Amino acid sequence: MPHTEGLFISFEGIDGAGKSTHIEAVAQALEAQGRSVTRSREPGGTPLAETLRQLVLNDAMDALTESLLVFAARRDHIQRVIAPALAQDRVVLCDRFTDATFAYQGAGRGFDLGVLQTLEQWVQSSGDASQGVLQPHLTIWFDLPPSVAAARLARARVPDKFESQPLAFFEAVAGGYAARCEQDPERFARINADQSPEAVRKDVMAALAAKGFLSGAPGA
Ligand code: TYD
């Protein structure tokens, strides 16, 4: 039986891990199997959240302010986009979600993980206790050494506030992702992103197929 209910998949990894290309391939594979797909990103995904994104990515601020802004953006995104799409049995593909906050603000900037956990509970609860805290059904984590990611970024574009951080920052962020993966291994699919784009794509499709979210692995 193909999966037909609402499905929430997030994509994570340090800057330069190459997730964007693969998100579009996943969207097309799911659409080819008849699913309706909502593509989105964080911070962002609504007009308010996109405004907050500009501030977070460009303005200097302390780590608490940054955390509050990304969670404020997330709240709006969940209420206006993610929850309604899931209620309509759509697939939501989100370029980053809360694991990024634990990795960047928590591990990267050294902000208090306990405060982030509290914000996560507040922001991702609907108010209906029986529904619990919203989390992705699957998180595809593009894992690659920070030095490799830095070399890719150096070739690619003008860096934003995070992308211009030193290697040590990304080593901490990568450690943050590894810790989140360890805490919830069922939710995570770790993809070795230090391979050719074709090999990465194959592994991503296989991870979706293993969860029953894609039948077979098209293009694999
Ligand atoms: P990214 O997803 O890499 O988008 P682009 O490909 O357009 O550069 O950029 C988002 C940046 O925001 C990335 O550097 C990570 C950062 N970020 C946080 O610091 N905290 C968060 O909670 C989220 C969602 C992202």
Side-chain angles (χ1 to χ4, degrees):
M1 262 297 274
H3 190 280
T4 55
E5 288 163 13
L7 189 58
F8 180 20
I9 304 174
S10 63
F11 297 81
E12 297 281 1
I14 58 174
D15 290 275
K19 59 192 161 46
S20 308
T21 333
H22 298 290
I23 297 174
E24 188 47 36
V26 168
Q28 288 179 14
L30 287 162
E31 284 170 343
Q33 297 198 354
R35 298 300 312 254
S36 302
V37 177
T38 296
R39 299 153 169 84
S40 203
R41 68 172 182 180
E42 288 212 348
T46 69
L48 172 62
E50 290 290 334
T51 300
L52 295 175
R53 177 188 179 94
Q54 290 311 315
L55 300 174
V56 169
L57 264 57
N58 296 302
D59 292 12
M61 60 188 74
D62 81 341
L64 171 57
T65 309
E66 210 168 85
S67 302
L68 291 170
L69 291 182
V70 293
F71 271 115
R74 183 161 301 133
R75 179 75 182 176
D76 196 54
H77 189 211
I78 291 170
Q79 290 195 311
R80 292 180 194 276
V81 174
I82 300 176
L86 295 177
Q88 290 168 21
D89 291 335
R90 297 179 66 87
V91 181
V92 177
L93 301 182
C94 195
D95 188 342
R96 301 189 184 281
F97 194 63
T98 305
D99 298 309
T101 314
F102 280 83
Y104 281 78
Q105 282 65 51
R109 301 209 55 192
F111 186 65
D112 191 322
L113 298 180
V115 174
L116 296 183
Q117 274 158 9
T118 301
L119 291 169
E120 178 181 35
Q121 303 277 322
W122 283 359
V123 166
Q124 291 161 230
S125 296
S126 64
D128 174 353
S130 69
Q131 303 234 331
V133 175
L134 176 74
Q135 293 291 359
H137 298 99
L138 173 65
T139 296
I140 306 272
W141 170 34
F142 295 89
D143 186 24
L144 88 167
S147 56
V148 177
R152 287 186 189 172
L153 276 183
R155 289 194 297 271
R157 55 189 169 192
V158 181
D160 66 28
K161 189 178 100 184
F162 291 105
E163 289 163 354
S164 53
Q165 293 294 315
L167 194 57
F169 177 82
F170 287 106
E171 275 158 4
V173 172
Y177 277 124
R180 285 287 280 184
C181 179
E182 241 170 67
Q183 284 158 18
D184 199 357
E186 287 292 297
R187 174 165 66 84
F188 274 84
R190 179 190 161 276
I191 305 293
N192 174 12
D194 193 6
Q195 310 182 78
S196 69
E198 296 71 34
V200 172
R201 177 191 152 93
K202 222 171 163 178
D203 287 355
V204 170
M205 297 302 173
L208 286 160
K211 287 279 181 184
F213 299 156
L214 266 184
S215 42

